[in-house]
Amino acid sequence: MHPRIEDYALIGDLQTAALVGRNGSIDWLCLPRFDSPACFAALVGDQDNGHWTLAPRAAAARAQRAYRGDSLILDTVWETEEGSVRVTDFMPQRDHMPDVVRVVEGLRGRVEMRSVLRLRFDYGRVVPWVRATEGCRVAVAGPDSVWLRTPSASTTYGEDFSTRSDFAVAAGERAAFVLTWHPSHEPRPEQLDPFEALADTAEDWQAWSARCRYDGPYRAAVVRSLITLKALTYAPTGGIVAAPTTSLPEEPGGVRNWDYRYCWLRDASLTLNSLISAGYLDEAGAWRDWLLRAVAGAPDDLQIMYGLAGERRLPEFEVPWLSGYRDSLPVRIGNAAVEQRQLDVYGEVIDSFHVARTAGLPAEPHAWSIQRALMDYLESTWRDPDEGIWEIRGPRRHFVHSKVMAWVAADRAVRALEGQQELSGDLDRWRVMRDEVHREVCAHGYDAERGTFTQFYGSTELDAATLLIPRVGFLPGDDPRVVSTVDTVRRELTHGGLVRRYSTEGESVDGLPGDEGTFLVCSFWLADALLLTGRREEARKLFERLLALRNDVGLLSEEYDPATARQLGNFPQAFSHVGLVGTAFALHRGAGAD
């Protein structure tokens, strides 16, 4: 049986990431990038698909874990009858090649330990050839090579197509494992000093975390979420992946399993807001610059997502040799939603540039030209149907949220021209477009009989994305239509007090079988909407309940099932942590803070 999703913790080096279970097993790691094939894929298969377990040999060992201060260094303390040890897992921010370091330190008594390394390249399919050389074990298959350096006092041997190391650690002793990936055609990589790397990594993370300028309530949760967003950043380009995993299910045993190891444009505006609000202008600037590179080109070629460096082709395929997380099939690589038409991304992109401009990020000379081209295209296409924010794999429709974001695009473009006389554009025409979109949405996207904005024109279904209407400024929070929409969504789209994206009952709009959990970012949106409609205490209570859903090291997945009290979906999810940061800042501002 797979561990629960919330039983995992994250380590990473700002180019890729690994998931470490409470049981001491690294069950997911893609090398050398977030979107590379996994060499540990037990997360969506079984142990034969690759893992690295480091734990006491005693069957009755008990573990307790935490991140070391404001860092991404994971400490797990194991207690046994013979003694206790601390296992420290981390990935140094790399100079050239990625390393995974695992340090074992004796705390009490003497503890027998075992490491079991089972490498399987190409998402758990390829068994490498392993040999001993120069005091290391090296595993090679095709383009991939992994070097494992073990403690000198360990007994290392091959068994059952794995590399095993047995050793013991007494109080005050330390032992270290270092796993390094590099291309198989290159010479042996330079050896890393694991203890120097640990000190340097702790210093790097503490220095970064100290730059956070948020000093309001829930600061520890905000900083942990910001660290998580930083960990999901691909440092060479500034792109931020939605999650480091693929195919963790929205319903255990179901088919709603997607690859999230790419960069979504709609994450841009909210992520930029979070980074800028917390004082991380360098990261915000890198994300803005990634966005500029990704969207450059013909406006009609704009995609909803891109690869880490702005790659456009992300073909989706299934890997039949993986059994899936708790039999949730298929396991998908790539994401076919890249081909969808989602008009809301034009609004999100232009809003991102507006946020960056308002924050005072240095302007790029060509940024406004790109925005003008996007506006010209959107002006002629906003009336068209699309697949919407939730990437519906069904017929295109006139989704209300998409139209609202077209209004956002026009509104931000108008504001830019009104505020910066040096910019060129047709102010009158964009004002006309803004007014026209607003009238149409209010006329066709609002059900006066039910008192709510709907999912799409002519529909009676609800959509949690309409909670964003006051947040983006389409209507003020005290507008009766906003208040009634918030109340209706809260009444009809919540399960256990948390918010679903939309109804999946009956003939669902998404065209997929099965169900899904409550969507965590939508629940943060409800908290924001409650705050904007004057219900601060209700917003605070909901926010604190959402904080309680985090796992023991402060991480959130995409969804949550109130019935089973389990996290669902890809993990950890950037959108969920962006929602947490945004709501914490909103509550702080609402309390009268600067």
Side-chain angles (χ1 to χ4, degrees):
M1 179 65 71
H2 288 85
R4 302 173 304 174
I5 290 173
E6 58 266 31
D7 285 338
Y8 287 99
L10 180 77
I11 60 174
D13 66 356
L14 309 187
Q15 297 192 41
T16 190
L19 293 190
V20 187
R22 287 179 184 269
N23 59 358
S25 182
I26 299 178
D27 288 345
W28 182 254
L29 174 62
C30 301
L31 293 172
R33 304 191 340 169
F34 289 107
D35 57 354
S36 298
C39 63
F40 300 146
L43 179 70
V44 286
D46 57 38
Q47 288 200 331
D48 286 337
N49 299 124
H51 70 103
W52 183 9
T53 301
L54 177 59
R57 297 182 66 177
R62 302 177 306 279
Q64 188 171 1
R65 63 187 183 170
Y67 284 114
R68 184 174 298 185
D70 291 334
S71 79
L72 206 65
I73 298 169
L74 181 69
D75 287 325
T76 302
V77 175
W78 291 91
E79 296 283 350
T80 72
E81 291 184 0
E82 293 75 26
S84 62
V85 296
R86 177 190 296 116
V87 177
T88 299
D89 294 318
F90 68 100
M91 295 182 71
Q93 296 180 25
R94 70 178 79 166
D95 292 325
H96 186 45
M97 296 301 171
D99 302 285
V100 179
V101 182
R102 313 193 78 177
V103 176
V104 185
E105 180 180 2
L107 303 178
R108 176 179 60 84
R110 187 174 185 273
V111 180
E112 299 284 340
M113 301 289 294
R114 171 169 287 171
S115 164
V116 179
L117 174 68
R118 185 172 280 111
L119 284 160
R120 296 293 185 268
F121 297 121
D122 194 23
Y123 297 107
R125 188 179 194 184
V126 177
V127 180
W129 183 265
V130 181
R131 69 182 190 276
T133 178
E134 303 177 46
C136 295
R137 293 295 194 280
V138 58
V140 178
D144 296 298
S145 173
V146 165
W147 293 71
L148 176 68
R149 187 148 46 97
T150 60
S152 58
S154 68
T155 301
T156 299
Y157 55 97
E159 181 180 298
D160 191 25
F161 295 98
S162 66
T163 299
R164 303 186 177 218
S165 298
D166 294 331
F167 62 105
V169 177
E173 295 179 344
R174 292 196 299 180
F177 292 80
V178 180
L179 181 148
T180 304
W181 178 96
H182 77 130
S184 59
H185 64 276
E186 293 186 0
R188 174 179 177 167
E190 294 183 9
Q191 288 192 1
L192 178 83
D193 184 312
F195 304 112
E196 285 186 9
L198 176 57
D200 291 344
T201 301
E203 185 178 346
D204 289 343
W205 277 110
Q206 292 296 341
W208 187 86
S209 300
R211 290 168 46 204
C212 177
R213 68 185 186 194
Y214 178 74
D215 62 354
Y218 320 108
R219 188 179 191 280
V222 168
V223 171
R224 177 52 53 193
S225 288
L226 289 167
I227 289 172
T228 304
L229 292 175
K230 177 68 171 176
L232 299 182
T233 301
Y234 184 64
T237 66
I240 301 175
V241 296
T245 57
T246 181
S247 301
L248 288 179
E250 297 173 8
E251 178 186 33
V255 301
R256 297 167 182 262
N257 317 315
W258 318 108
D259 192 347
Y260 275 16
R261 297 171 299 154
Y262 308 109
C263 306
W264 267 254
L265 295 188
R266 70 170 45 89
D267 295 8
S269 179
L270 295 177
T271 303
L272 270 172
N273 269 316
S274 297
L275 293 172
I276 289 170
S277 297
Y280 291 105
L281 297 185
D282 290 343
E283 286 76 8
W287 183 215
R288 189 275 314 272
D289 293 344
W290 176 91
L291 188 61
L292 275 172
R293 294 190 300 271
V295 304
D300 58 341
D301 286 337
L302 186 72
Q303 298 182 177
I304 66 165
M305 73 179 84
Y306 295 84
L308 303 176
E311 298 91 344
R312 289 175 171 263
R313 294 190 180 183
L314 311 173
E316 182 179 303
F317 61 93
E318 299 175 6
V319 282
W321 59 87
L322 291 174
S323 58
Y325 177 84
R326 300 197 177 187
D327 300 320
S328 303
L329 291 173
V331 175
R332 293 182 171 93
I333 307 301
N335 201 310
V338 71
E339 303 293 339
Q340 288 191 355
R341 177 195 187 95
Q342 296 179 22
L343 293 174
D344 64 293
V345 298
Y346 291 88
E348 279 131 7
V349 167
I350 291 174
D351 187 51
S352 296
F353 291 129
H354 172 75
V355 169
R357 188 165 49 245
T358 303
L361 292 184
E364 290 291 338
H366 60 292
W368 181 246
S369 297
I370 291 176
Q371 293 171 75
R372 286 184 57 187
L374 294 176
M375 278 301 304
D376 288 342
Y377 178 74
L378 184 60
E379 193 175 9
S380 64
T381 57
W382 70 265
R383 298 175 184 82
D384 297 338
D386 70 342
E387 277 91 358
I389 181 176
W390 304 127
E391 298 168 7
I392 300 299
R393 298 198 176 195
R396 290 180 176 176
R397 303 177 189 273
H398 292 281
F399 286 101
V400 170
H401 175 261
S402 296
K403 309 300 185 185
V404 168
M405 293 310 296
W407 177 89
V408 168
D411 178 71
R412 302 323 187 244
V414 166
R415 286 204 227 173
L417 290 183
E418 290 175 340
Q420 294 182 266
Q421 302 302 319
E422 68 274 15
L423 298 179
S424 61
D426 196 326
L427 179 58
D428 291 338
R429 199 174 78 233
W430 291 346
R431 281 174 174 161
V432 169
M433 174 188 165
R434 181 178 64 176
D435 293 344
E436 186 176 352
V437 176
H438 200 279
R439 283 193 300 271
E440 181 178 298
V441 171
C442 292
H444 301 290
Y446 183 75
D447 184 339
E449 185 173 327
R450 296 184 64 207
T452 184
F453 284 95
T454 60
Q455 186 172 42
F456 53 88
Y457 291 176
S459 169
T460 59
E461 295 293 333
L462 301 178
D463 192 324
T466 58
L467 293 171
L468 293 171
I469 284 174
R471 179 169 175 163
V472 300
F474 184 84
L475 287 172
D478 59 0
D479 187 290
R481 292 166 293 185
V482 169
V483 175
S484 61
T485 296
V486 172
D487 289 340
T488 305
V489 167
R490 194 180 188 186
R491 184 174 59 250
E492 298 184 22
L493 271 191
T494 55
H495 173 46
L498 305 176
V499 184
R500 297 179 180 271
R501 295 186 294 175
Y502 48 84
S503 174
T504 56
E505 297 176 1
E507 188 175 345
S508 175
V509 68
D510 62 21
L512 294 169
D515 202 358
E516 64 179 27
T518 60
F519 214 72
L520 289 173
V521 75
C522 295
S523 298
F524 285 112
W525 292 349
L526 176 58
D528 296 340
L530 289 170
L531 187 61
L532 289 168
T533 54
R535 291 172 276 187
R536 174 180 172 77
E537 185 59 20
E538 295 176 52
R540 183 190 61 78
K541 288 181 179 179
L542 176 55
F543 179 69
E544 292 183 350
R545 183 183 175 199
L546 288 164
L547 290 185
L549 303 183
R550 297 173 301 151
N551 72 355
D552 59 316
V553 290
L555 301 180
L556 289 169
S557 65
E558 179 184 29
E559 299 184 4
Y560 186 83
D561 181 7
T564 60
R566 292 291 178 263
Q567 295 196 28
L568 297 172
N570 284 305
F571 173 90
Q573 178 81 1
F575 222 4
S576 298
H577 287 279
V578 167
L580 187 157
V581 173
T583 303
F585 271 90
L587 285 167
H588 189 39
R589 287 192 302 268
D594 292 334

